[in-house]
Each structure stands twice: as structure tokens, then as C-alpha cells.
Amino acid sequence: MDALIFDVFGDFGHFRKFYTTSSPLTFSFPPPPTVKGMLGAIEGIDKNEYLNVFNSNYCKIGIRIMNPVKKLRMGLNLINTKDNFWTPVKKKNHEARTQVKTEFLKDPAFRIYFVHEDKSLFDDITHKIKKHNNVYTLSLGLSEMIADYRYAGLCELKEIHDCDVDIQTILPMQDITDDMIYFESGKKYFKENIPVDMDDKRVVSSYQDIIYEIDGKSIRAHVERCWEVSDNEHITLF
Amino acid sequence: MINAIKNLGEMVIETENKKLLDVLIENPNSGGSYKNVITIDFVISDTDIEYNGVNIEQYDSAKVSRYMYTSGGGNGPGLTPAAKITEPEKTFNMKIKGWFKKLDYKKIDTDDSYKTLLQRINKLLDENSIDIVKNIKKFRNDFPKKEGLILMLRFADKNGYKYIGDFQVFRDLLLRKDNEKYMKLYSTDKVCSICGKKRDLVFGKVDTYAFYTIDKRGYIAGGFNEKDSWKNYPVCPECRLALEEGKKYVESNLSFKFYGLRYQLIPDFIIGEKSIKSDILDIFKSRDKLVSLKKSTKKRIIADEDEILDYLKDADDTMTLNFLFIKRSNSAERILLLIEDVFPSHLRKIFDGKEAVDKIFNEGFTFKNIRNFLSKSDINKRNSDLDGYFLDITDRIFKGNAVDYSLLVKFIMKRVREEFIADRYYKNSIKDGMMTVTFLEKLKLINMEVKKMEERIFDGIFEKYGEDFKTPLKRGLILLGALTELLLRKQYTDRGGAKPFMKNLKSLKMSERDIKGLLPAVQNKLEEYKAFDKGKRLLAREASNYLLLSGDNWNIPIDEINFYFACGLNLADDFTAIIYKKEEEKVNE
């Protein structure tokens, strides 16, 4: 199985945790549906279409954290849509703007592993990434957070089963046999519940617990299934 | 974090063998100020039910599930006809009568006899409302205002008294009314975002914590359409109750006070409960242990009430802690700060830093020392207005992020100057500042410039404070500060409590130029007082040496210049202990 490897990075990122609205917190990495949105932007697929094109039945995604996760909070001045209307000037009991303290990722960088059964689509995306020739502008969660990307290579993935390995990507708990994680000193492990699959009606059909290391270091675990990129690089795919 | 709350809730439900209904029922006397219950009494016979006056009884914690009190409802009726009394007439009409009025009897798919019972109670309440209100008022007047009273129904039959919780119909209605609130927005046969399982029913607006609201369209991702908003955060009824229970548990057991700000401590277990050492897990499972830990006076670092962090620092990094700072105003909850994922290993580092500072200053360091200069921008202000800065520095300490040193020194100096100008005891403020800087330096949250220097007589004092005082300029300023302090003391004794030289210190806003002019002025004044003895000469010599080594154009903010000078004022005794010891040794030789 061939995989395209490319890096996405920027100054700031925000991938809102679904259970926050008025004080938005961010995931430490883009969840798979967000990565699919990025691929859709590169390839120029309509926003109503890309979730079908990159359906998990024929598309696989791996996400690796490349820069240590740094989070900071800033106030965003948003238009106030309370009571379903907006007024450009202050009215009684209704401000024109509302300030929302938002959590951002600083200097985020991720390595994406992309596999697709449609060879022509796969080749076209590879070509576009190599030439830095995207159709729509790429962002890291919010339109204000423009992203850049860089081609990192093509590789052949070898699927392996039931083994102790160092996993470089974010790791779904369900792939780990009997929670066999080898906690190593100097590493900081985080758990997050993220949306993994979304249909074209934007209904999430699967959520998973993910474990990752905050500085992007590998996690040693006994996994049911993973993919070997090279001798010392193993990844999991969604 | 939301999963952490749900996991806690599940743990409580399992440990305490709770039933669904127990999660919804609240203890009206949880704060201890509702010790009496006013009961509207009825007598039930086989054939009828009659009104039997208004009475009062003592609150009994064993009856909580029978009282079946819930706080929900706002100004309208709650989920059950039981309420805390605000104004007797209002509470009776809105909360008790209102509850029966709002019942849709057609929709009650229960036994006909129950339906009749409800209708009969409703009628009796209407018929006797004047008498009931009059009696409630009478009882209300018998108690001081600060003492709360609860109002509920009580039924006497041949077996004794019954409360609403003893009737199946009220129990069913509670569950139904609770669900109704969430049934305004729901979907069926969808995946729950908390447990990840496909469920028959998922609610679309579970606002256990107020950081999830969809009161503004802009918050609804994927089309700004409220009808579709359930897609954003679908939660199944089971997870909703676990969240509710988790929140309740955290609020009553893991809430702490932090210098006027309340925070909740939410533990999260990375690979589930089994990864946690049993003694750590016991803290959360056994309320008795939690209570005794809260009361214990072990080492404290952050709270001004007793805390359990000292105990949790010994856990493995398979557990993380979340600190949720919430401010309540009426029914709204405003999140001031959420510090997520603090590892026990980092807590250990914080405690190590604290211990090192304690040793240097011979005094217990806590966040109080920081709060002292990060509370009010003006000492005369009634309320604290620097909470944001204080929480920001708290966040940085708990997450291990760098702190802006110049900003910190600015706030320290602001407080020191206020005290200095008002001629109050400013040395405590300087000490708070020094302890904080040393603490942050030990945690490596501020970068200190370090320069290699030749060995000198006062190295021992400077070394004690670590990296903080390792440049000639800082040392020069400290020594000059100490020398000035000795002059001020001399003036104080010779002039009967006056320290006129203080005006030369320009309210601690001295620039490089001022400092350079200060050294000869201090020396001159000491000469005039005939107090420029060998010890002070040594101090002056060392100060000149370091200031000369610093050269021109120091390029540091005025706040920092004055902070180190003020440190010198504070450390004068450390230097006198050395300089006069040296002199004694020479005399002895």
C-alpha cells in the first residue's frame, strides 16, 4: 500500500473541542475529518463532497505531531449573534460584539500519512502537493490560521499485526491490546476523545479515545495492527 | 476533560450503588443552613385525602431521597413540588401550586388512582391557599432570615408520614420532567460523543457545564442551524446522568478556594482506573478519606484552605489533573480559566521549588506570596482587579510555561512603591517579590542572565539565591541597597525616627543615572554621621566594584533596577552579619 507523506504547519491553529462553544478549547492536533477537509482544499473538492471522496472505506489517514504542543489563550472579538440577530451598533441588552476567550495552538506542525484506493486521485493530490499547487487555501482549523504544507515523500506501507512497537502517530486506544502501553519516563501521555468518521451530512459516526505524547515523541505499546513506514517508523491509520 | 467528569460520575454511581433517581435528587441542606422543613400536611384514608394544616419538622438527612428535592426550575416550578422558601407566598404559588398547574394530566400515562390523587391535591391546595400562606408566613417569622426553610408536602396515613418520594407517581414524573428539558433537541439512533456507542436516543443540548451553549448561532458549527446543532455534541441519557453526577461530585468534594477564586480539581485517568495506584484512587472513591485529606495540614502550595495536591503529587503520570476556575453569577457559570492536564511529576517539581524557596527564606512559600502583589492595582480598591494576571501566572506555573519577567517585576515594584511612599512596612512586599522570583527561577520559568565573575567576599549570600543574582549589575544594586538601608537606620536612630534620606530614593523610580549619583551621596551622608566605618566601607567598595564592572548603558528596565535595589534594602542584615564578623575576627587576631 502506497502512502503520501506531507507536513502541514503554521503559526497558529484551532481545532475546537466539540463540547465547548462559549470558551472554545482546542484539540492538540487536527482530527481525521479536519485532515480530510485539508485534502479536499488541496484537491479542490466541494465542501459537500469531500467527506464522500475521502470516506474511510477507501481512504486512510495517519497524523503525527511534529512540534511540541503549545497552547495559549487569546480573546477573539466575534459578532454577537445572541437571540439570532446581529446589530452593528449596541442596542439595549444587545452588544454588537462579544469577546470569546479562545485557546490556540502555537507553532503547530503535523505530518500526514495519506492512502487512497483511487490511484488517479492519489496521484493528483501527490502532484499538487509536490508542486505546492493547491486549489483552495489551506487553514489550520479557522480561516484566519493559514497553513503551509511541504511534500515529504512517498513510501510503501507494510501492515503488521500483534507486536510491540514504537508508534510515531497519534494512537487510538482501541488499537492497543489490553491497554498495554509502556509508559516511559520523560514522556507525557495525553488522552483525548476525538471524532474520527463523519458522513456527508456532517454527522459523526465514530468517536475514539486517542493517546498521544505532548512533545510528539513515540509511544511504545502492544498494538493489534499498525503499519511500518521504515525499520524505525511505525504508524497507525484511521 | 468532559470524559474525565463522566468517568468520575460513573465511578461514584458504581461505588455508591446509586440509582438513576438518586442522581437527580439533591440534598437541600448541603450547605448546612436549611435545618427545618415546613410541611403542607394531608391525611390519606382508603377513600379520600384531606388537607391537615401546615406544620414544621426538623430536616433529616436520612430522608433526602423521600424529600425528593431538586433545585432546577429558575423562577418557575422545579421538577418536584418541593422548594427552598424565598418569599412564602411566591414560593407556594410558583413552586408548589405552579408544579401542579403545569401538569398535563392527559399525558400522565399512569394508574387512574394516581391521576385522581394529583388532581385532588391540586384542588386542596387551591381551596386552602390562604390558610397555607398565612401559616408559612407565621413559621417564617419565627426564624431569623439567614436560616433557610424548605417547603414540601407531607401525607399521613395509618402507617405514619409519607413524603412525595414515597409515591411512584412523583418519582415517574421527576424522571419525565427531567428528560423533557432535553427532549427539545434530540436525535435517535446516533452515536454518543461521550461513550462513543450507538444509542437509541441522544440529546442535542446537554449543558452540564456552561462552556457549552448554543445561545448564539455563531456557535453552531456546520450551518448555524439550531435544529442541526445536536450533531455538534450528541450525548446519550446515561452519559448525561454520569456527567451530572460527576459535576455534582466535583462541586461538593473537589472544590477548593484559591485566594478568593474557586476552582474545581478534576482528575483524569489515562488508561482507566486500573492504571492508578489503589491508595491514590481511594482518595476519590472514599469520601471519608477525601474529607480527612482536605482537613489535614500537610504542605500547602496553592490554596488558602487545605488541599490534597501534596498527596496527589506522588501519583504516576498515568493520571492528570485539570483545574477549572469558575465564577458564578446568578445561574450563569463563567469560566475564568481551565488548566488542563497537569501531571503529578510536574506537581512534584512545583513542590520541590517551594521547598527550595522555603529553605532559603526560612518561611513557607505559597501562591499567597504571588497574590500579595497580583490582587489589586490600587491598594484602596474594594475588589481585586488583577485576577486575570494572577490566573495567567498560575496557569504558566502549572503548565511549565515561561513567565514574562519584566511584567512580573513591574507588578512587584508597583506594590513595593505603594508601601514605600506611604511609609508602611514595605519589606514584606520585597520579600514576596524575591520569593516569587526565586521560585520561578527554580522552576526554570524565567531566564536569568548569568555572567562569570571573580570570587568575592559576599558570594555566599548571592549563591544562596541561585541564578538570580549572577550578574555584576544586580549584585552592585543589591549592595548599594544594603548600604543605603544602613544609612537609613543610622538616620532613624540619630534623628528620632526620621529618615530624610529616603527622598533621595525617588520613590524607588531611580534610573541608571540616579543610581550612579546615589553611591557618593550615601557615602557622603555616612561620613557626615560619622558612621562610615570599616564594614560599610567594605560594602561600598564591593558595590563600586560591581557597578564599575557593569559599565554604562545597563539596558534594563527601571522597575528591575529598583527591584534589585529594594532587594538590597531587605537583605541588609545578611551583609552586616558578614562585614561585622570580619571586623571582629580582625580585632581578635
Side-chain angles (χ1 to χ4, degrees):
Chain A
M1 185 160 65
D2 279 340
L4 162 69
I5 307 171
F6 67 101
D7 294 339
V8 184
F9 49 93
D11 292 335
F12 289 99
H14 176 81
F15 309 106
R16 186 171 62 81
K17 288 186 177 172
F18 53 84
Y19 55 85
T20 59
T21 53
S22 59
S23 316
L25 303 173
T26 177
F27 285 120
S28 303
F29 48 84
T34 314
V35 175
K36 288 176 182 176
M38 292 178 188
L39 287 162
I42 291 169
E43 183 58 16
I45 305 170
D46 187 86
K47 67 177 180 184
N48 297 318
E49 268 300 304
Y50 74 87
L51 285 163
N52 286 331
V53 175
F54 299 112
N55 187 300
S56 300
N57 293 332
Y58 14 86
C59 167
K60 297 236 171 286
I61 304 279
I63 302 156
R64 178 176 171 182
I65 296 169
M66 298 297 280
N67 277 356
V69 175
K70 281 188 283 181
K71 289 180 181 174
L72 54 87
R73 290 185 313 279
M74 281 191 277
L76 287 188
N77 291 327
L78 304 180
I79 58 170
N80 185 4
T81 54
K82 192 161 184 159
D83 304 322
N84 297 334
F85 76 94
W86 177 59
T87 160
V89 284
K90 186 185 170 183
K91 269 190 178 174
K92 197 188 167 198
N93 299 330
H94 195 106
E95 297 280 346
R97 308 259 157 190
T98 174
Q99 193 175 65
V100 175
K101 276 257 179 202
T102 311
E103 192 177 58
F104 294 100
L105 292 173
K106 178 78 183 89
D107 299 325
F110 309 99
R111 173 155 290 183
I112 308 295
Y113 300 82
F114 168 61
V115 177
H116 204 288
E117 281 179 9
D118 183 342
K119 183 85 173 69
S120 65
L121 177 76
F122 180 83
D123 288 343
D124 197 43
I125 291 180
T126 306
H127 179 75
K128 284 199 165 87
I129 288 180
K130 256 187 193 170
K131 297 281 176 203
H132 212 276
N133 203 7
N134 49 302
V135 176
Y136 301 121
T137 306
L138 220 61
S139 74
L140 289 166
L142 297 180
S143 59
E144 294 84 356
M145 277 138 219
I146 307 286
D148 197 0
Y149 59 93
R150 180 193 310 125
Y151 173 76
L154 280 170
C155 73
E156 196 179 334
L157 297 180
K158 197 171 112 193
E159 190 171 336
I160 49 175
H161 292 266
D162 203 22
C163 52
D164 277 348
V165 277
D166 284 310
I167 298 288
Q168 312 284 349
T169 49
I170 59 169
L171 174 59
M173 291 293 280
Q174 65 175 33
D175 286 357
I176 303 168
T177 316
D178 298 330
D179 287 347
M180 277 169 69
I181 301 166
Y182 302 100
F183 288 97
E184 295 167 272
S185 64
K187 291 184 180 178
K188 288 178 173 170
Y189 301 86
F190 279 67
K191 192 170 78 174
E192 205 90 79
N193 183 244
I194 61 162
V196 169
D197 266 324
M198 193 187 259
D199 66 19
D200 57 351
K201 303 245 171 5
R202 309 194 80 84
V203 176
V204 179
S205 54
S206 142
Y207 293 87
Q208 281 181 27
D209 275 337
I210 299 298
I211 187 158
Y212 64 98
E213 207 279 334
I214 188 107
D215 291 330
K217 292 175 190 163
S218 62
I219 293 175
R220 187 154 188 83
H222 190 100
V223 292
E224 285 168 16
R225 175 169 87 144
C226 71
W227 284 265
E228 190 179 87
V229 179
S230 64
D231 281 351
N232 49 12
E233 189 175 0
H234 294 83
I235 62 168
T236 52
L237 297 173
F238 293 97
Chain B
M1 193 202 66
I2 206 79
N3 280 52
I5 294 164
K6 175 235 168 188
N7 291 340
L8 263 186
E10 276 181 346
M11 196 173 79
V12 174
I13 290 172
E14 191 189 322
T15 313
E16 298 182 3
N17 206 7
K18 281 195 166 185
K19 292 196 185 83
L20 197 65
L21 211 65
D22 299 325
V23 176
L24 300 173
I25 295 171
E26 293 168 47
N27 178 356
N29 191 32
S30 56
S33 51
Y34 286 82
K35 289 176 189 147
N36 291 291
V37 180
I38 296 181
T39 58
I40 302 169
D41 282 349
F42 299 91
V43 182
I44 300 183
S45 64
D46 290 339
T47 51
D48 200 13
I49 174 169
E50 287 302 328
Y51 169 68
N52 194 30
V54 175
N55 286 298
I56 193 154
E57 68 168 34
Q58 270 204 337
Y59 168 83
D60 180 358
S61 61
K63 291 181 184 166
V64 168
S65 66
R66 299 173 69 196
Y67 291 153
M68 221 166 70
Y69 165 81
T70 63
S71 62
N75 284 330
L79 302 178
T80 59
K84 290 178 179 174
I85 295 176
T86 49
E87 288 165 42
E89 198 163 356
K90 223 168 151 187
T91 308
F92 173 68
N93 286 325
M94 306 285 284
K95 300 280 183 181
I96 308 292
K97 262 172 72 177
W99 186 87
F100 284 95
K101 258 192 200 134
K102 278 211 163 181
L103 272 185
D104 190 348
Y105 293 94
K106 279 179 205 154
K107 278 190 182 170
I108 301 173
D109 45 358
T110 177
D111 207 304
D112 269 352
S113 62
Y114 279 136
K115 221 179 269 182
T116 322
L117 172 81
L118 291 170
Q119 280 166 334
R120 180 84 180 122
I121 298 172
N122 189 16
K123 202 172 164 214
L124 289 171
L125 288 173
D126 269 343
E127 286 168 4
N128 299 289
S129 56
I130 296 169
D131 181 62
I132 294 170
V133 172
K134 193 182 86 191
N135 282 305
I136 299 171
K137 277 184 181 165
K138 198 179 104 232
F139 284 121
R140 178 66 275 185
N141 291 335
D142 290 347
F143 288 90
K145 258 196 173 170
K146 61 180 179 185
E147 224 171 284
L149 291 168
I150 310 156
L151 182 64
M152 59 179 65
L153 310 181
R154 191 171 68 167
F155 307 87
D157 66 6
K158 52 191 175 221
N159 299 320
Y161 285 118
K162 279 185 173 173
Y163 299 85
I164 50 173
D166 296 324
F167 294 87
Q168 191 58 41
V169 61
F170 287 105
R171 298 173 79 86
D172 291 345
L173 284 169
L174 166 60
L175 279 179
R176 224 188 51 200
K177 276 184 171 281
D178 182 58
N179 264 355
E180 254 170 31
K181 206 168 64 181
Y182 295 94
M183 288 300 277
K184 283 176 193 153
L185 199 64
Y186 71 96
S187 186
T188 51
D189 208 22
K190 294 288 177 329
V191 177
C192 166
S193 61
I194 306 286
C195 60
K197 289 177 190 153
K198 199 163 198 177
R199 301 289 192 179
D200 297 340
L201 174 70
V202 287
F203 299 128
K205 202 181 162 189
V206 174
D207 46 0
T208 319
Y209 275 102
F211 45 65
Y212 185 80
T213 71
I214 47 168
D215 64 347
K216 299 182 183 76
R217 279 193 176 190
Y219 288 157
I220 303 165
F224 306 137
N225 188 352
E226 195 173 338
K227 274 186 187 155
D228 285 336
S229 67
W230 62 268
K231 293 177 185 174
N232 292 174
Y233 179 36
V235 180
C236 65
E238 289 81 0
C239 285
R240 184 188 78 76
L241 282 171
L243 278 173
E244 208 66 57
E245 185 63 24
K247 186 187 181 190
K248 228 194 273 178
Y249 178 81
V250 168
E251 276 180 352
S252 54
N253 297 294
L254 292 169
S255 287
F256 299 89
K257 226 188 203 164
F258 184 50
Y259 307 108
L261 306 160
R262 283 205 82 80
Y263 78 92
Q264 301 176 359
L265 186 69
I266 305 160
D268 194 3
F269 312 122
I270 291 183
I271 49 171
E273 290 172 29
K274 59 183 179 293
S275 65
I276 306 298
K277 281 186 206 155
S278 59
D279 54 337
I280 297 289
L281 198 62
D282 274 355
I283 296 176
F284 304 110
K285 284 198 166 178
S286 145
R287 292 198 189 198
D288 290 346
K289 189 157 187 180
L290 196 61
V291 170
S292 72
L293 269 175
K294 276 176 93 173
K295 279 184 183 161
S296 75
T297 47
K298 291 189 91 183
K299 266 176 274 155
R300 293 174 190 178
I301 175 72
I302 71 163
D304 56 357
E305 65 180 36
D306 307 305
E307 60 180 65
I308 60 167
L309 290 186
D310 184 40
Y311 199 86
L312 293 180
K313 78 179 195 301
D314 297 325
D316 295 328
D317 279 358
T318 50
M319 183 181 96
T320 61
L321 296 167
N322 301 290
F323 296 79
L324 179 64
F325 290 85
I326 284 189
K327 194 177 183 180
R328 280 213 182 88
S329 48
N330 300 324
S331 60
E333 282 173 334
R334 203 155 58 85
I335 298 180
L336 298 174
L337 173 71
L338 173 65
I339 307 175
E340 276 199 298
D341 303 314
V342 176
F343 290 90
S345 62
H346 191 70
L347 272 187
R348 276 201 292 278
K349 263 191 214 163
I350 292 175
F351 275 92
D352 288 347
K354 169 201 156 51
E355 270 164 37
V357 176
D358 290 357
K359 215 177 264 175
I360 293 170
F361 291 89
N362 214 5
E363 196 180 308
F365 174 80
T366 66
F367 275 55
K368 189 168 191 284
N369 299 81
I370 303 175
R371 183 64 165 170
N372 282 348
F373 56 84
L374 277 182
S375 170
K376 296 175 191 172
S377 58
D378 181 347
I379 209 155
N380 299 318
K381 275 197 174 164
R382 193 199 250 192
N383 298 320
S384 55
D385 59 344
L386 297 178
D387 289 350
Y389 287 103
F390 179 57
L391 286 173
D392 182 63
I393 199 168
T394 306
D395 183 34
R396 286 166 185 279
I397 290 168
F398 277 97
K399 280 189 174 162
N401 292 337
V403 170
D404 184 345
Y405 184 52
S406 317
L407 189 71
L408 183 74
V409 172
K410 194 177 154 186
F411 282 114
I412 297 171
M413 283 315 295
K414 198 169 185 319
R415 171 47 62 92
V416 171
R417 279 185 198 123
E418 270 174 7
E419 306 271 340
F420 187 79
I421 293 166
D423 202 16
R424 282 194 294 262
Y425 193 69
Y426 55 88
K427 289 184 180 171
N428 277 343
S429 303
I430 300 172
K431 198 172 186 181
D432 285 333
M434 284 173 72
M435 284 174 98
T436 305
V437 169
T438 313
F439 175 68
L440 295 175
E441 194 268 311
K442 296 279 174 211
L443 291 178
K444 300 200 170 13
L445 301 182
I446 44 178
N447 270 332
M448 283 297 169
E449 189 191 1
V450 174
K451 280 188 180 160
K452 216 172 171 196
M453 283 171 286
E454 56 173 339
E455 279 185 28
R456 308 286 297 191
I457 178 174
F458 298 123
D459 284 356
I461 298 174
F462 294 127
E463 290 298 331
K464 202 168 87 171
Y465 296 94
E467 305 290 288
D468 196 11
F469 297 156
K470 278 194 179 167
T471 66
L473 175 59
K474 290 175 186 175
R475 291 188 177 185
L477 289 168
I478 290 165
L479 290 167
L480 179 57
L483 189 64
T484 311
E485 170 67 14
L486 297 183
L487 168 64
L488 293 174
R489 286 182 192 176
K490 180 70 186 161
Q491 274 195 331
Y492 187 82
T493 42
D494 283 16
R495 302 193 52 166
K499 292 190 271 189
F501 193 78
M502 270 178 82
K503 69 175 186 300
N504 293 38
L505 306 184
K506 298 193 167 173
S507 305
L508 293 178
K509 282 183 184 167
M510 292 176 286
S511 63
E512 178 181 344
R513 203 183 142 135
D514 297 326
I515 291 284
K516 284 179 173 166
L518 188 68
L519 181 60
V522 173
Q523 278 181 236
N524 182 40
K525 213 35 130 187
L526 283 166
E527 292 276 16
E528 283 176 13
Y529 280 101
K530 296 194 176 21
F532 203 34
D533 54 36
K534 270 190 180 172
K536 292 191 191 72
R537 274 177 210 281
L538 178 64
L539 207 54
R541 197 180 70 208
E542 288 298 307
S544 329
N545 169 58
Y546 283 124
L547 289 176
L548 285 171
L549 280 175
S550 318
D552 290 327
N553 299 324
W554 293 345
N555 205 16
I556 67 167
I558 284 187
D559 284 328
E560 273 185 53
I561 293 177
N562 288 277
F563 173 64
Y564 289 103
F565 180 83
C567 289
L569 293 177
N570 222 25
L571 291 175
D573 288 333
D574 291 40
F575 293 103
T576 51
I578 289 186
I579 54 182
Y580 293 115
K581 196 175 147 205
K582 283 264 171 207
E583 284 201 339
E584 275 169 29
E585 278 168 9
K586 275 182 189 167
V587 172
N588 291 340
E589 279 167 19

